[in-house]
Amino acid sequence: MAKSDAVWALDIGQCSLKALRCTPDERSDRLIADAFDYIEYPKILSQPGAEPAELIAEALQQFLSRNTLKGDMVALGVPGQTGLARFIKLPPVESKKIPAIVYYEAKQQIPFDLADVVWDYQRMGGGSEEEGFTLETEIGLFAMKREQVFRILEPLTEVGIEVDLVQLAPLALYNFMVFDQMPDLGSPDEYDPENPPPSVVVLSMGTDATDLIVTNGYRVWQRSIPIGGNHFTKALTKELRLTFAKAEHLKRNVSAAEDPKALFQAMRPVFHDFLTEVQRSLTFFSNLNRKAQIARVVALGNAFKLPGLRKYLSQGLGYEVQRIEAFRGLAGPQVLHAPAFKENMESFGVCYGLAVQALQKGLVSTNLLPKEIIQDRLIREKKPWATATAAVLMLASTLSFVSWTRALGTVREIDWQEAHRRAREVKQFADKWQSEINGLLSQFQSTDQIGQNLVGNVERRIVWTELLYAINQCLPQDMSIQSGQPRPADPADRHEIYIENIEAQRVERLEDWFAAVRPWYLPPGGAVLPGGVAAPAGGAPGAAGAAGMPGPGAVVPGAAVPSAAGATMPSPATPQAAAPGAVSPSPTDAASAQGAGETPAPEGPSGPGWIVRLTGYHFHNYETPEKAKGRPMGRVYLYQTLIENLRNKTIELPAFSAHEGQTPGQKEKVTMKELGVEYPVLVEPKPYQKVEVLDPKAALEEMLNPKASVPSAKPEESPSPEAGANPAGKESSVKKKTIVLWKYPFTVEFVWRPTPPSKRAEEKKKAEQARTSQEQPTAAPPAAKPM
């Protein structure tokens, strides 16, 4: 049954049952109290000879006879000493992770198995949140043993009262104080932990214990003091040798006693013990919250009617202990002006706080009602609807069955026998042909697989030939040779790159290889390569140019290339020993050749594939800016020739096998990407090496005129046969002429995913079909016929 906006708040104490019915008001800061009840037990529940279960049951029956709870919510307050309260300050953490952290803290803070307790938590006010992270957050963790909750709910269940909210009395008093006694409290965003607002101490004395609550409106701290009104009664019983009932009567009527001084003298130890416990609690609170300032103390509970108690506490604490004269946020003359309510108003603080929370106006909203009770009620509420739905479905099924049964009764089975026979014959005929089709299809697939294996073996050999052919086509070609002109005399002017070694290794994770070479990878369009490199006068290639151009080649720490089985290729991390006089490059060269500015990190390849490594060198380098004349050299020359070609060049391959739309012998234009070549990387750029080689001009002259290389021998100085062909101290030829060149060694690696010709033809066919389908115009809808 749906609940109304009204709530009955119940506080079943040791001395009496208090109940208050409230409804929301048009004003958000006020509630309407339209009913209350105050039922005092014949005996105090902790009094010797009392039967608590019977006394509570009688009080509840009396309450139900006076009031109706139909359709109203019911909130129940339980004593603070029956539960556990912990307050935890969290470090800066993401908001979405708070539940997981609280669950971990609950396992640490609650001294019982979480399955044996009912617990809930509340994020206290005053914290802040920035970009999804909470700062200065305090969490309140509250729990009760499960069996204790059911024991408290048992008397209400027996009389038919369903409780919707279970809350600890100290937290109910906190909601009451913030709602009723702190009207000027700002929003949680205004809370400053370094300068908190003044705090208020609430002392709510019950029969056996006193709840001490300290709050500044945003944060709350509470402790249960094991001293209550009964302790004063027991002191009178012990000192004056009175019965419990007589001592309780004298305590409530001290002014009418024959010797009030004797009564106060008997209760003085309890006064002192209570003051000591309060002082000790406030000292502990001050040590925890050194910036807190206590402004006032508020007394609640009928036990504070004892003459002299508030004055004694005021003198001992140094703060005035005040009474609540009226409820600011509560309206309803028929309740507020009732004599019974006015006489016991100080004991209705818990009921008031429970009503504030139940009507969703409190700062604390935790509920210690067991989840299984809530689930059982939901199932019970849905059960009538589920039963009605099942009945409707059953009725619909019955009607459908009856209608189809009547229709079936009109059919004569003999009229359909011939049709059934013909249908079976057709099905058998179709099954026979389907079986033959499946057999032929299986034979075709076997034959096709044999053909694929034969073609595949051929194509696996072809792809390696194509790769080597493509690498050769990507090397720079000297145009002077193609045009019939003689080669340049200076090797630095020749467009030639020499490949010394080609290695290939298959790996299962290309991403591991790319992670190792990422520092040297230059993404397409990620940098503008300089057109040439000039070294300072008298310097060597590799130093910064006069125009600020980077020198090619820098030694950068490298890593081994991973393989599929965990083995590695020999890493080119250690550069070859430079020739004497070799000059190391500038430290800024690596960043300069990769291009100015930052570029987004490339994603790189993934999955299995081949890593191909090219090891070689070139002499396209110059010693001075005047000789370079702006021409590229070093690794810049590699980027503009070999690496650029590996990335973007289109080559012509012979058609090794005939495919659809292709005749044997014709040329096939293939890009390097279509061939499966991607991600070329100049790995660990190395420094230049100064080498001394034979002068090609001198070698040519020696070849054309061999006599010029041997000095003419005088007849008298002809060597004797005994002396040998080369006597000591004599040279048989002139010293050969040499020149100095700057050699740039390199290692280039790239990814290769073999793409056989058949696969390339299939992909081109799919691309052509997709392009054709996009270019076809959409058929226009037929024109409407004229009327």
Side-chain angles (χ1 to χ4, degrees):
M1 181 177 62
K3 299 287 186 177
S4 66
D5 290 337
V7 57
W8 272 102
L10 303 180
D11 180 13
I12 302 177
Q14 292 288 315
C15 185
S16 60
L17 182 150
K18 284 83 67 178
L20 181 65
R21 186 180 189 272
C22 294
T23 57
D25 188 46
E26 294 179 355
R27 289 172 47 181
S28 60
D29 61 342
R30 191 170 67 178
L31 301 180
I32 302 297
D34 51 16
F36 84 101
D37 208 340
Y38 183 86
I39 302 173
E40 191 169 357
Y41 310 136
K43 293 183 178 180
I44 297 176
L45 299 185
S46 57
Q47 180 177 340
E51 295 290 341
E54 295 181 4
L55 293 174
I56 293 175
E58 291 176 2
L60 290 173
Q61 291 290 355
Q62 186 178 354
F63 168 70
L64 291 176
S65 66
R66 298 179 184 177
N67 309 278
T68 176
L69 277 65
K70 186 176 181 180
D72 295 345
M73 293 183 291
V74 177
L76 177 66
V78 295
Q81 67 268 24
T82 62
L84 176 143
R86 295 285 187 272
F87 297 94
I88 309 162
K89 290 186 178 180
L90 299 182
V93 66
E94 291 184 74
S95 300
K96 62 182 180 181
K97 293 183 179 180
I98 289 180
I101 296 177
V102 171
Y103 179 78
Y104 172 79
E105 290 292 342
K107 293 170 65 177
Q108 304 298 319
Q109 300 288 340
I110 299 176
F112 305 102
D113 189 348
L114 294 186
D116 298 333
V117 299
V118 181
W119 67 281
D120 201 353
Y121 74 94
Q122 173 78 39
R123 182 176 169 181
M124 309 305 294
S128 61
E129 183 171 345
E130 295 182 5
E131 297 181 355
F133 284 82
T134 58
L135 306 175
E136 299 291 338
T137 301
E138 183 173 288
I139 297 294
L141 186 65
F142 314 105
M144 285 184 65
K145 294 199 71 173
R146 188 176 298 275
E147 60 180 13
Q148 195 169 19
V149 177
F150 280 99
R151 186 166 59 249
I152 292 174
L153 294 175
E154 184 178 1
L156 292 93
T157 305
E158 290 178 352
V159 297
I161 298 177
E162 291 187 349
V163 177
D164 301 290
L165 171 65
V166 177
Q167 184 59 279
L168 297 174
L171 299 180
L173 291 172
Y174 166 68
N175 279 333
F176 151 67
M177 287 297 298
V178 174
F179 182 80
D180 192 88
Q181 298 295 312
M182 297 181 176
D184 300 328
L185 189 67
S187 65
D189 296 336
E190 300 176 2
Y191 176 73
D192 183 7
E194 300 299 324
N195 186 23
S199 298
V200 178
V201 179
V202 180
L203 295 174
S204 178
M205 181 175 285
T207 303
D208 294 327
T210 299
D211 289 325
L212 185 148
I213 302 99
V214 185
T215 177
N216 57 16
Y218 302 100
R219 304 291 170 85
V220 61
W221 183 83
Q222 65 95 21
R223 178 175 180 260
S224 182
I225 298 175
I227 297 177
N230 255 5
H231 290 75
F232 295 97
T233 305
K234 291 177 181 179
L236 293 176
T237 302
K238 179 180 178 181
E239 296 295 330
L240 302 181
R241 301 181 183 279
L242 301 174
T243 63
F244 191 90
K246 182 65 175 178
E248 181 68 21
H249 176 74
L250 289 176
K251 184 188 71 173
R252 297 189 181 190
N253 301 276
V254 174
S255 58
E258 295 181 0
D259 190 2
K261 185 176 181 180
L263 297 180
F264 283 112
Q265 192 66 28
M267 293 187 293
R268 187 173 184 83
V270 183
F271 275 65
H272 178 267
D273 292 344
F274 183 64
L275 175 61
T276 302
E277 286 294 328
V278 173
Q279 289 176 331
R280 196 160 63 89
S281 299
L282 294 182
T283 301
F284 182 74
F285 168 77
S286 299
N287 291 334
L288 290 178
N289 303 271
R290 297 188 178 277
K291 297 185 182 298
Q293 299 292 330
I294 297 176
R296 59 193 178 109
V297 180
V298 175
L300 294 175
N302 284 339
F304 274 102
K305 292 180 180 180
L306 185 64
L309 179 57
R310 289 192 296 111
K311 182 179 179 181
Y312 182 81
L313 290 176
S314 299
Q315 293 175 350
L317 297 175
Y319 303 103
E320 182 183 359
V321 180
Q322 304 172 352
R323 291 181 57 191
I324 299 294
E325 301 294 340
F327 292 144
R328 183 198 61 82
L330 197 63
Q334 67 275 21
V335 172
L336 299 179
H337 295 165
F341 185 84
K342 294 174 65 176
E343 183 180 355
N344 300 283
M345 185 183 69
E346 295 177 354
S347 63
F348 276 89
V350 174
C351 293
Y352 190 179
L354 291 171
V356 169
Q357 177 179 343
L359 296 177
Q360 300 180 358
K361 296 182 180 296
L363 295 183
V364 174
S365 58
T366 55
N367 188 357
L368 297 182
L369 184 68
K371 299 294 189 296
E372 53 266 34
I373 294 179
I374 300 175
Q375 185 176 3
D376 291 342
R377 291 178 185 173
L378 289 174
I379 295 174
R380 187 182 63 196
E381 291 178 2
K382 302 295 183 182
K383 190 176 294 184
W385 294 100
T387 304
T389 303
V392 171
L393 292 176
M394 182 65 70
L395 178 60
S397 300
T398 302
L399 293 176
S400 176
F401 177 77
V402 170
S403 62
W404 283 105
T405 302
R406 294 184 61 186
L408 182 61
T410 62
V411 178
R412 295 177 58 193
E413 186 176 353
I414 192 172
D415 296 338
W416 297 93
Q417 290 181 351
E418 181 63 21
H420 286 169
R421 184 186 62 79
R422 291 198 302 270
R424 285 194 297 270
E425 291 177 354
V426 172
K427 184 178 182 304
Q428 292 174 358
F429 184 76
D431 291 344
K432 175 184 175 183
W433 284 107
Q434 185 63 46
S435 177
E436 293 185 10
I437 291 173
N438 292 339
L440 294 174
L441 183 61
S442 177
Q443 294 178 10
F444 170 77
Q445 290 174 348
S446 300
T447 305
D448 182 67
Q449 185 62 42
I450 294 173
Q452 292 292 339
N453 292 338
L454 292 174
V455 174
N457 290 332
V458 175
E459 289 192 332
R460 278 193 288 272
R461 294 195 298 269
I462 290 174
V463 293
W464 288 99
T465 304
E466 290 179 341
L467 175 64
L468 296 176
Y469 180 80
I471 292 174
N472 186 62
Q473 291 296 310
C474 290
L475 296 177
Q477 306 294 329
D478 201 321
M479 300 303 297
S480 61
I481 299 178
Q482 298 179 6
S483 61
Q485 299 177 2
R487 296 172 64 190
D490 189 351
D493 294 335
R494 301 172 186 173
H495 290 285
E496 294 176 347
I497 292 179
Y498 302 91
I499 302 297
E500 296 179 302
N501 190 27
I502 300 178
E503 300 176 73
Q505 179 173 328
R506 179 175 173 80
V507 297
E508 295 299 325
R509 287 176 51 84
L510 290 172
E511 50 267 35
D512 293 341
W513 167 82
F514 191 71
V517 301
R518 184 187 293 272
W520 304 291
Y521 179 68
L522 179 66
V528 179
L529 296 175
V533 179
M549 306 304 289
V555 180
V556 184
V561 180
S563 69
T568 59
M569 282 187 180
S571 174
T574 304
Q576 300 175 355
V583 181
S584 298
S586 169
T588 62
D589 178 62
S592 302
Q594 293 291 338
E598 296 182 0
T599 58
E603 294 184 2
S606 61
W610 289 81
I611 304 301
V612 180
R613 175 183 293 168
L614 307 179
T615 305
Y617 62 91
H618 70 81
F619 293 115
H620 200 275
N621 310 300
Y622 303 94
E623 187 173 4
T624 64
E626 291 77 11
K627 293 183 179 181
K629 298 180 181 179
R631 287 173 291 188
M633 62 183 188
R635 66 172 174 178
V636 178
Y637 180 70
L638 281 176
Y639 277 125
Q640 294 186 359
T641 56
L642 177 59
I643 293 180
E644 177 65 21
N645 291 340
L646 288 173
R647 184 175 287 154
N648 298 318
K649 189 175 181 63
T650 300
I651 63 175
E652 289 188 351
L653 295 175
F656 292 98
S657 58
H659 301 286
E660 184 177 349
Q662 185 181 78
T663 59
Q666 78 177 77
K667 296 290 186 178
E668 177 189 7
K669 290 188 176 181
V670 181
T671 64
M672 298 304 292
K673 187 172 184 180
E674 292 173 345
L675 200 63
V677 174
E678 293 181 293
Y679 299 97
V681 184
L682 176 60
V683 178
E684 293 185 334
K686 302 175 179 60
Y688 291 88
Q689 296 178 2
K690 188 175 182 181
V691 297
E692 189 174 352
V693 299
L694 181 65
D695 186 357
K697 293 182 180 180
L700 182 61
E701 292 177 359
E702 182 180 356
M703 181 178 63
L704 297 177
N705 189 12
K707 294 182 179 181
S709 60
V710 179
S712 57
K714 296 182 180 180
E716 62 273 18
E717 296 180 357
S718 298
S720 63
E722 293 80 5
N726 187 17
K730 303 291 183 177
E731 294 184 357
S732 62
S733 63
V734 296
K735 184 178 181 180
K736 296 183 178 181
K737 295 182 179 180
T738 60
I739 60 174
V740 175
L741 295 178
W742 291 96
K743 177 181 177 181
Y744 183 75
F746 65 86
T747 299
V748 172
E749 296 179 2
F750 59 85
V751 172
W752 178 49
R753 296 185 180 94
T755 55
S758 59
K759 184 177 180 181
R760 295 199 299 267
E762 183 180 351
E763 291 179 352
K764 288 182 178 180
K765 181 179 178 181
K766 291 181 180 178
E768 182 65 26
Q769 290 176 350
R771 184 169 59 254
T772 303
S773 62
Q774 292 178 356
E775 292 176 355
Q776 289 179 352
T778 304
K785 296 182 180 180
M787 298 297 292

